Amino acid sequence: MKRVMLRVAYDGTEYCGWQRQPNGITVEGILNSRLSALLGEDIEVIGASRTDAGVHARGNVCVFDTKSRIPGEKLAHALNPSLPEDITVQESCEVAADFHPRHCDCNKTYEYQIYNATFPDPLLRRYSHFLYRPLDVSAMQQAAKYLVGEHDFKSFCSVNTQVNETVRRVNYLEVLEGGIRPYGFGATGETSDGIMPRLITIRINGNGFLYNMVRIIAGTLIEVGYHKRTPKSLAESLAACDRKAAGATAPACGLTLLEIQYGKTSMFQ
Amino acid sequence: MKRVMLRVAYDGTEYCGWQRQPNGITVEGILNSRLSALLGEDIEVIGASRTDAGVHARGNVCVFDTKSRIPGEKLAHALNPSLPEDITVQESCEVAADFHPRHCDCNKTYEYQIYNATFPDPLLRRYSHFLYRPLDVSAMQQAAKYLVGEHDFKSFCSVNTQVNETVRRVNYLEVLEGGIRPYGFGATGETSDGIMPRLITIRINGNGFLYNMVRIIAGTLIEVGYHKRTPKSLAESLAACDRKAAGATAPACGLTLLEIQYGKTSMFQ
């Protein structure tokens, strides 16, 4: 018996999230059925992050136990041909038998993408949230600073969950503005509205995230970008420890789980 | 009566290409039916570039004539709500009544994207061609130089077409290598195979392209990247004026029509 870890990437558009459920196709459900068929055992993976319906991942992590003689690092090659094209295993390796992807210290990185332009871009629509009114990115950057560090993020946690401990550490929270190469009729690339299309990326890294936390942070920063809140007000939002003190939950399609980093010793000891 | 020009972006994945056809949904067909319904007239657009099934666009161009009193630059706003989410009009404006998007001097820019990594990436799969064996990008860059300039591109034209004039001018042809941020288990970001995932972009600009020309150029450069051809052999491929002297036609999903540039005088005179 050995424990194998998978790094899984998926386009979440067509899935009811990670976690297996009676009605609806989930990433976990697909992995369990395809691994069980491949290995001839009843496989149940343990996932690191139970991403919501519509959320994407480049590097979610899960583990499972198997009697298979396929070497851990070859399992990705063996499994990928049987997976649908919107899920792929990017890497696999053997880990310590007691390694649990949720009960170990780790840092996670998420990215929330906003496409801010006059009209939606069909090539970006699946992986970004479209907003047509221009956002004040500088205000969003100022606001982001208030959330960095160790705080009680209860205000930034969906009320549809029960956790006792709502203190988390945000290691960094960046709001980046990327130009989209302009293809407009005008020489400057501006559209007829005079607005330059751009992709705004909120990148956050922390030691754990509450239910919907990144999407609520994104939604609150968007309200700052629209001057419905001041950057400084985020200190009060945190202090209130009340979901109503933060902004709306931004849509799932903009969110991608990029990476989960474990200490090497926790994985292989 | 006025002539209106649209800049159209689309995700070509679900379409049988641009050009209307009896069986199959096309971008042109959708535009005709939605414009006709919106304006209460029989609208038939004239497209600049008849992209193939599965090819994407950020800036294809078409024109149509209408009696509508909606100002040209407002038509994008009026039309977009009735379009499916994989087609959007990015801009609209009124042009000269005799402006024809195919019978005017213009320069077009296309991009062909290759995702070169051990495993496909679900988030890139719709807009790039996946290849797992490492490509020699430097050889591809050397080969690209032979195609720049005015040449007879008959070897790089599908035999399923009849055109008399096969001389075209390629203004530039770049092969760019972009890093994908690594999310691997290893500290260097390398996967267990030791290969860094990367996105290779072939960007080409010219005064006109023959049927399948960009995809055949991409396919030929891929063969150079795999050392099946030398960079220098592209001079011979050109000189042969024979489709068999060039490489395979690369898949449609990697191709995006970025932009069509007309001289301002040709559009508005």
Side-chain angles (χ1 to χ4, degrees):
Chain A
M1 204 67 148
K2 65 184 165 203
R3 180 156 283 199
V4 175
M5 176 157 113
L6 306 179
R7 181 164 63 92
V8 188
Y10 44 90
D11 176 340
T13 310
E14 309 293 338
Y15 294 96
C16 301
W18 172 272
Q19 196 168 13
R20 199 164 34 151
Q21 48 173 265
N23 308 310
I25 298 169
T26 66
V27 179
E28 185 183 40
I30 295 274
L31 288 171
N32 285 345
S33 72
R34 305 298 159 92
L35 277 167
S36 298
L38 175 72
L39 303 172
E41 302 169 76
D42 271 343
I43 302 289
E44 295 202 6
V45 301
I46 305 169
S49 189
R50 298 163 182 151
T51 55
D52 277 344
V55 172
H56 318 290
R58 288 198 187 272
N60 204 346
V61 163
C62 66
V63 300
F64 64 93
D65 295 321
T66 177
K67 290 178 227 144
S68 166
R69 292 167 68 180
I70 302 175
E73 71 276 14
K74 293 291 177 203
L75 261 156
H77 292 270
L79 182 59
N80 275 330
S82 68
L83 289 174
E85 64 171 11
D86 49 7
I87 304 177
T88 55
V89 174
Q90 297 289 310
E91 265 184 286
S92 58
C93 66
E94 197 171 339
V95 290
D98 62 349
F99 173 73
H100 189 293
R102 285 199 303 279
H103 303 158
C104 260
D105 284 346
C106 69
N107 285 303
K108 296 180 183 177
T109 311
Y110 283 91
E111 212 169 67
Y112 194 91
Q113 292 206 113
I114 298 162
Y115 182 59
N116 195 203
T118 306
F119 297 114
D121 181 328
L123 302 184
L124 297 171
R125 74 186 195 286
R126 291 170 76 96
Y127 313 115
S128 62
H129 172 41
F130 169 71
L131 291 170
Y132 69 91
R133 283 191 299 127
L135 285 156
D136 179 347
V137 172
S138 162
M140 294 167 73
Q141 287 166 336
Q142 288 171 52
K145 290 178 189 156
Y146 290 91
L147 302 179
V148 175
E150 191 164 279
H151 301 286
D152 187 335
F153 281 97
K154 195 171 181 196
S155 300
F156 294 84
C157 177
S158 167
V159 291
N160 301 319
T161 186
Q162 286 193 320
V163 282
N164 300 319
E165 180 51 61
T166 50
V167 172
R168 295 292 184 276
R169 189 184 68 237
V170 169
N171 299 313
Y172 65 75
L173 172 52
E174 304 165 324
V175 183
L176 308 163
E177 189 176 353
I180 295 288
R181 217 201 118 186
Y183 306 109
F185 296 156
T188 62
E190 287 184 359
T191 66
S192 44
D193 297 33
I195 298 163
M196 292 286 282
R198 61 208 169 132
L199 199 60
I200 297 165
T201 301
I202 299 168
R203 194 175 291 151
I204 188 165
N205 174 284
N207 70 344
F209 292 91
L210 301 165
Y211 186 46
N212 278 352
M213 179 168 151
V214 184
R215 289 168 58 189
I216 297 169
I217 288 175
T220 308
L221 291 178
I222 288 167
E223 293 177 14
V224 171
Y226 285 142
H227 300 153
K228 289 183 193 168
R229 297 170 182 271
T230 63
K232 211 176 153 186
S233 75
L234 266 69
E236 296 149 37
S237 300
L238 275 173
C241 285
D242 178 358
R243 173 68 187 88
K244 295 189 203 74
T249 307
C253 64
L255 186 62
T256 302
L257 168 57
L258 292 187
E259 188 175 28
I260 305 177
Q261 294 165 302
Y262 296 97
K264 289 290 156 202
T265 50
S266 71
M267 273 160 59
F268 298 114
Q269 74 192 349
Chain B
M1 204 68 150
K2 65 184 166 203
R3 180 156 284 198
V4 174
M5 177 157 112
L6 306 178
R7 180 164 62 92
V8 188
Y10 44 89
D11 176 340
T13 310
E14 308 293 337
Y15 293 97
C16 301
W18 171 272
Q19 196 168 14
R20 198 163 37 150
Q21 49 174 259
N23 308 309
I25 298 169
T26 66
V27 180
E28 186 184 40
I30 295 274
L31 288 171
N32 285 344
S33 72
R34 305 300 159 92
L35 277 168
S36 298
L38 175 72
L39 302 173
E41 302 169 77
D42 270 344
I43 302 288
E44 295 202 6
V45 302
I46 305 169
S49 189
R50 298 166 182 146
T51 55
D52 276 343
V55 172
H56 317 290
R58 288 196 187 274
N60 204 346
V61 163
C62 66
V63 300
F64 63 93
D65 296 321
T66 177
K67 291 178 226 143
S68 167
R69 291 166 68 181
I70 302 175
E73 70 276 14
K74 293 293 176 202
L75 261 156
H77 292 271
L79 182 60
N80 275 329
S82 68
L83 290 174
E85 65 171 11
D86 49 7
I87 303 177
T88 56
V89 174
Q90 296 290 310
E91 265 185 286
S92 58
C93 66
E94 197 170 338
V95 290
D98 62 349
F99 173 72
H100 189 293
R102 285 200 304 279
H103 303 156
C104 261
D105 284 347
C106 70
N107 285 301
K108 295 180 183 177
T109 312
Y110 283 91
E111 213 169 68
Y112 194 90
Q113 293 206 113
I114 298 161
Y115 182 58
N116 195 203
T118 307
F119 297 115
D121 180 327
L123 303 183
L124 297 172
R125 76 186 194 285
R126 291 171 76 96
Y127 313 116
S128 63
H129 172 42
F130 170 71
L131 290 169
Y132 69 92
R133 284 191 298 126
L135 285 156
D136 179 347
V137 172
S138 162
M140 294 167 74
Q141 287 165 335
Q142 287 171 52
K145 290 177 190 157
Y146 290 92
L147 302 180
V148 176
E150 191 165 278
H151 300 287
D152 187 335
F153 281 96
K154 195 170 180 196
S155 300
F156 294 84
C157 177
S158 167
V159 291
N160 301 319
T161 187
Q162 287 194 320
V163 281
N164 299 318
E165 181 50 61
T166 49
V167 173
R168 295 291 184 276
R169 189 185 66 238
V170 169
N171 298 313
Y172 65 76
L173 171 52
E174 304 165 324
V175 183
L176 308 162
E177 188 175 354
I180 296 288
R181 218 201 118 185
Y183 305 109
F185 296 156
T188 62
E190 286 184 356
T191 65
S192 43
D193 298 33
I195 298 163
M196 293 286 280
R198 61 207 168 131
L199 199 59
I200 297 165
T201 301
I202 299 169
R203 193 175 291 152
I204 187 165
N205 174 284
N207 69 345
F209 291 91
L210 301 165
Y211 187 46
N212 278 351
M213 179 168 150
V214 183
R215 288 167 58 189
I216 297 169
I217 289 175
T220 308
L221 291 178
I222 288 167
E223 292 178 14
V224 171
Y226 284 142
H227 300 153
K228 290 183 192 168
R229 295 170 182 270
T230 63
K232 210 175 153 187
S233 75
L234 267 69
E236 296 150 38
S237 301
L238 274 174
C241 286
D242 178 358
R243 174 68 188 89
K244 295 189 203 77
T249 306
C253 65
L255 186 62
T256 302
L257 169 57
L258 292 187
E259 187 176 29
I260 305 177
Q261 295 165 302
Y262 296 98
K264 289 291 157 200
T265 50
S266 72
M267 273 160 59
F268 297 116
Q269 75 190 350

